[in-house]
Amino acid sequence: MWLINAHTWKLEEVWSEDVKTYAILSHRWQEEEVSFKDMQDIATAFKKQGFSKIKNSCDFALRDGYDYVWVDTCCINKESSAELSEAINSMFRWYKCAAVCYAYLSDVDINNVNGTSVEDQLQQSQWFTRGWTLQELLAPDDVVFYDCNWLPLGTKKTLSKVIQKRTRIHEQALYGEPLETYSIAQRMSWASQRVTTRSEDIAYCLLGIFDVNMPMLYGEGTKAFLRLEEEIIKQSDDHSIFAWLIDDREQTGLLAASPNVFASCQNVELSTSRACHSSYTITNRGLTCAFVATPFIVDTYLVRLDCFNNPDPLASGIPMYLHLGMFLRRLDDDDQYSRVRIKKRTFRQNHSLSWVHRPQLEIPEKSMLITDRIQVNVRQRILETETRVHKTRFNGFRVRFDEDTFRSISEETPILADGGHWDSAEMTIEFMSFSYNLLGTLDLRRLKGNIAYLRIGFDFFYNPVCMVLAKSTSANERDLSTRNRGSQCQDYTKSTDNPMNKMAFDDDGWSRSNAACFIVDVDGHPGCWALKGDRSTGFEAHRLVQRNSLGKYRASIAIQREETEAAIMWAVYLDCNDLGRLLEL
C-alpha cells in the first residue's frame, strides 16, 4: 500500500498499516480525480481539480500532528490487478487503523444561501448513498465531517443520531460496538440503499464489514455478491443471511442477489439458541443444510430461521420477539427445494415459544408447531423443468365418485367433512395450514354403496394417505379410532369415543399390495383399507373378489395429482358401488 507524505505530497510505499501513523480521506469521486499515475509527477497532479482534496487533507493531517495521508484515488495502483485485489481485501483494516478519517461532503454547505439546515443537507447528502463510504464510516474510531468549504460539521459520534436516522445504522455501531454483535441481515441492511459504479463493487466494499476475503473478478457482475455470501457462510451459521425478502419470482435460491433485498432487516437479531443450527455445504446439488420445519400446505414447509424480528418495544417496554420462518417448496426432484412466497408473503412470524422443536412421536402442546428436522438442497436457480414451482397448491382433495354414486348425491344427502372445509359444489375438501395426518373425514353413510367413512390427508412429507371403512364391518370402530400403531402418520387426538378420530399406522399397518396394485385389508381390521401413496405419483389400488355366483368384482380407489390453470391439487377417485360390495364381504 502507498501513503502520501503530507510534507512533500509524494507517495511512499509501506507494507503494513501499523508502520506509520496516518489520516485518511473519505469522499465521493468527482471529475478530474488524481490517479496513482498522476502522483508520479506532482506538477501534473496539481493541475487536476481533485488535487485540492489531497492538499487540504494533508494540511489538516499536519495540523493534527500526522505526517501521512491515505486517499483511495491515488494510493492504489489500479493498473496492477494483484495490488488492487490486495488493497480491497485489506482496505477495512487500513481504515480501522487510521488515526482519523476526514469525511468531505461536497454537497453540504454550512453557509447555504437557501436556508436549508445542516441536518436536512446531511439527510440528503450523496455521501451516505455510496457503497465504499459504509466501511469508511464504520471502521475508523474517529470520523470528522467537513462541508464543501472544509468547515467542520461534527464527528460521527456527535452526529450519531442524525447519521442513524439517515442510514438506519444502529447508534451503538457508530460508537464502536463490534460489528459481529450485529446479525448478517442487519449489516446487509446498512448497505441496502447504497450503490457503486461497478456492480461487483457492492460485494467487494462489504468484505471488511463481514471480515472475509476473496479474489477480485471484475466482469463477473452480480455473481460477486453470491461469492461474498458463500464466503460468509463458510465461517458463520447465522440464519439471518436467509432473512431477505423475495422481490422477484425468479430468485428462488437461499442466497440473495444483492443487499437491496435486506432493506427491511434492520431489526433482525441473532438467536441465542443454537439448537437448530447446522453446517452448510455447497455442491452441484445446490446449498445443502438442515432446518427445523413444519408442514404448511401441500409440498410446502415453514422453515424456522434462528433469528428474531425484534420490532420496537411495546408500551410496556418489553420487546416482542418473533421467530422468522421462510417457505420452502419441495420440487419433483425429492431432495430439491425452492423458496416461494405464500399469498405474497416471504415470511411468517411466530412467537419463539411456539417453535420449540418437538419430534413427531411426541404430543405437542396446543400452542406448539409440529416440527421435525429436514435436510434440503436449494439451487440458486430452479431448472427449466420446474416451471410449476410458483403455481398455487390446493391444500386438500377433490373427490370424484363413480357415476351411479354421483347421481345419488343431492342437497338432502349431506356429505360432512370433519377437520376440513367441504365445498359440495366443487366436491372439494380443504384443510387448514399447518395440518397433516388423516385430516378430514367424509361421512358417506347416506350415499348409495356400502362405505361408511373415507378419511384422507397427508403425512409429514406430503405423501397422500387415506383410510376407507365399510358400513358393515366386523372391525371394532372404537378400536379403529383409538389404536395408535406408530409414527408414519401420527394420531394427536386424545379423545377415544368418536370413531371419526384420526388413526395412525406404522410400516406394518398399511394395506399390503402386489405389483399389480391389488391389496388386502389391514391386518386385524377386516373391511378397512389404509393406503399411503407417493407425493409425486399418488397411488391406485384394486381388488378382485369372488362373490358366490355373481362373479368377480373389481373395487378401485386412486389418488392422483391434477393440474388446472389456477392450481395443482390432489383428486380422489372412488368407485363406491364396487368398493361397497367388496367391503361388505
Side-chain angles (χ1 to χ4, degrees), residues 408 412-414 443-448 451-452 471:
S408 71
E412 291 75 30
T413 311
D443 185 348
L444 308 178
R445 290 174 295 179
R446 297 189 183 185
L447 293 186
K448 184 179 179 180
I451 299 178
K471 292 177 183 175

Side-chain angles (χ1 to χ4, degrees), residues 4 37 81 96-97 119 131 187 212 268 294 334 344 421 472 549:
I4 302 171
K37 185 177 180 179
S81 58
K96 189 173 184 63
C97 292
E119 181 174 339
R187 283 176 276 173
V212 297
V268 176
T294 186
D334 267 354
K344 298 183 179 180
H421 171 70
S472 56
S549 60

Side-chain angles (χ1 to χ4, degrees), residues 507-514 517-523 530-531:
D507 289 336
D508 297 324
W510 302 99
S511 296
R512 297 189 303 275
S513 64
N514 59 23
C517 298
F518 288 92
I519 65 171
V520 298
D521 298 338
V522 175
D523 290 342
L531 306 169

Side-chain angles (χ1 to χ4, degrees), residues 233 239 242 254 276-282 286-292 303 305 326 328 335 337 373-378:
I233 64 177
H239 280 182
F242 308 128
L254 288 178
C276 298
H277 285 226
S278 63
S279 59
Y280 312 138
T281 56
I282 299 177
L287 178 59
T288 301
C289 45
F291 291 110
V292 169
V303 171
L305 298 179
M326 67 178 173
L328 289 183
D335 69 344
Y337 291 76
R373 188 178 291 274
I374 62 173
Q375 181 164 304
V376 304
N377 294 311
V378 185

Side-chain angles (χ1 to χ4, degrees), residues 246-364:
I246 298 176
D247 66 346
D248 190 312
R249 293 180 67 172
E250 295 303 316
Q251 292 184 357
T252 55
L254 288 178
L255 301 180
S258 82
N260 298 348
V261 291
F262 288 92
S264 61
C265 295
Q266 64 268 26
N267 293 320
V268 176
E269 299 181 5
L270 291 171
S271 169
T272 55
S273 168
R274 317 302 288 175
C276 298
H277 285 226
S278 63
S279 59
Y280 312 138
T281 56
I282 299 177
T283 68
N284 57 357
R285 301 294 291 167
L287 178 59
T288 301
C289 45
F291 291 110
V292 169
T294 186
F296 187 73
I297 60 172
V298 170
D299 294 337
T300 309
Y301 294 87
L302 183 65
V303 171
R304 164 178 165 159
L305 298 179
D306 268 349
C307 53
F308 295 99
N309 182 34
N310 182 18
D312 293 334
L314 303 178
S316 63
I318 303 174
M320 181 180 293
Y321 289 99
L322 300 174
H323 248 304
L324 290 177
M326 67 178 173
F327 298 107
L328 289 183
R329 178 158 289 163
R330 199 173 184 184
L331 306 181
D332 290 342
D333 195 350
D334 267 354
D335 69 344
Q336 289 290 323
Y337 291 76
S338 172
R339 282 193 72 176
V340 292
R341 290 194 296 180
I342 303 296
K343 296 182 179 179
K344 298 183 179 180
R345 294 175 62 183
T346 303
F347 298 104
R348 183 183 175 102
Q349 300 183 141
N350 290 85
H351 194 278
S352 58
L353 294 180
S354 68
W355 277 103
V356 173
H357 176 43
R358 296 295 183 98
Q360 291 186 57
L361 291 176
E362 296 185 19
I363 297 176

